[in-house]
Amino acid sequence: MNSKNKKLGVAFTCNVEGKVKDIVSDTCGFFDEKGEGNLLTTLVDTESIEKALNFLEFIKEHDTAHNWEFFFENNQYDIDTLYFSGAKNGDEIFVIGTSKKDDDEFLDELMKINNEHLNTLRSLMKESSLEKGKKSRSQDNKLFTELSKLNNDLASAQRELAKKTAELEKLNEVKNEMLGMASHDLRNPLSAIMSLSEIMLDEKDQDFQNLSGEQKEFLKQIHRSSQFMLSIIEEMLDISKIESGKINLDPDLIDMERLVSHSLNLNRRLAEKKEISLEFTEPVQEMEITADAQKLEQVLNNLITNAIKYSHSGTHITVRIQREDEDSIILSVEDAGQGIPEKEQKNLFKPFSKTSVKATGGEMSTGLGLAITRRIVEAHGGEIWVESEVGKGSTFFVRLPTDAAE
């Protein structure tokens, strides 16, 4: 079902243990089979269960929580991520889950739904009061009073959430600034360590020749560790910028064939060290799109280096680009590597996620590369996914609009 024109979200009340009591709104279809009486933890996927429990504990301690990211199994709208906020009111917790960018619109829609609901109840009660006796009218008035109180409580909770939203967004900005500053300050000394150790590893240099076998190995470990730490710093800087909403695009007309060829040339030496061949199936027609060349090169490098990292020697990696229609192209990176277990594929694009598949050359991974790749692709209005079979390899697909500036 198409969800583009629908404000997707859920709103419900639960007790402090997370047991759902009343469903206020559900445009995601989560409660088709998991309705009242079920636990909040049954909504999310297995990777988010512990986080959901921490979400409830945080609300019990601080009265509110905002913008907690949870992941979900496939559903009728193909939703994989929602951002949950909650506020405690007595022994109940009011919970709203929605996409981050549509948060305000969904809240407005929620208030509209509740106001319309109360107006409908008011009309029905007026009609029924003409036919019922004094006792029935008294019961209806009591019901209406209780519903009005519930609506007022809901409005109060929404105002409190809005207030906490502003406070938490400010704290999140401070967090991202501190993360960026710390990463930036660490990058320069780490770059110096890596560069100096690389110079010292020159096998033609007499000083290197005079080192013992153990000292040479120590020097290699220093170089590998500093290189890995520097890659972590670079990716932390990227993710902090992205999470703070600072992924600014500089779109220009790009020749995708030239961009792919350049990226393959950059990674060819890395592939040759593992005796892996890089192949490019060139398009039969011109392939130009309007996008940020630097950001797309980062996407390509992440996908190609990942393919090299998890492929065995003697295999090959194939990159293809083809036009899907007038408005979009498909980029794919296919390897003949180990493949990824199906149950682990949904976690690939989440920050700091790792799978059971190990790098074939002992390479290290931060777990951030594919998360950054996904955010860059989505910033261009595109999408990314994987098709994989254990023992046969994986293919990562990227669909991009021909004009990301629109």
Side-chain angles (χ1 to χ4, degrees), residues 362-375:
E363 300 96 332
M364 294 179 282
S365 173
T366 64
L368 286 173
L370 286 176
I372 293 170
T373 298
R374 174 191 175 189
R375 299 297 175 93

Side-chain angles (χ1 to χ4, degrees), residues 32 205 234 261 358 369:
D32 286 351
D205 190 273
E234 295 290 352
S261 297
K358 303 299 182 185

Side-chain angles (χ1 to χ4, degrees), residues 16 30 82 88 94 122 157-158 211 222 247-248 307 312-313 357 370 391:
V16 293
F30 286 134
L82 283 182
K88 189 169 176 285
F94 177 66
R122 188 181 291 111
Q158 289 171 334
L211 295 176
I222 290 171
I247 182 168
N248 298 319
H312 293 289
S313 296
V357 183
L370 286 176

Side-chain angles (χ1 to χ4, degrees), residues 74 80 303 306-307 310 330-335 338-350 355 357 370 373-374 383-390 392-399:
N74 291 337
D80 60 1
L303 295 179
N306 266 6
Y310 295 101
I330 299 287
L331 164 73
S332 64
V333 178
E334 178 185 3
D335 65 55
Q338 305 168 72
I340 306 161
E342 184 176 358
K343 65 180 181 180
E344 298 179 8
Q345 292 176 21
K346 65 179 183 298
N347 299 320
L348 284 174
F349 303 103
K350 301 174 185 178
T355 68
V357 183
L370 286 176
T373 298
R374 174 191 175 189
E383 59 180 318
I384 182 171
W385 70 95
V386 64
E387 295 178 4
S388 183
E389 186 175 346
V390 174
K392 293 188 176 180
S394 306
T395 304
F396 283 83
F397 296 90
V398 175
R399 178 183 287 112

Side-chain angles (χ1 to χ4, degrees), residues 267-279 304-318 334-337 360-361 363:
N267 290 284
R268 201 169 297 281
R269 186 178 178 186
L270 181 64
E272 288 173 351
K273 285 183 178 180
K274 295 183 70 172
E275 298 180 351
I276 295 171
S277 63
L278 297 181
E279 301 173 3
I304 294 170
T305 55
N306 266 6
I308 296 171
K309 186 182 299 183
Y310 295 101
S311 293
H312 293 289
S313 296
T315 59
H316 62 275
I317 294 165
T318 305
E334 178 185 3
D335 65 55
T360 56
E363 300 96 332

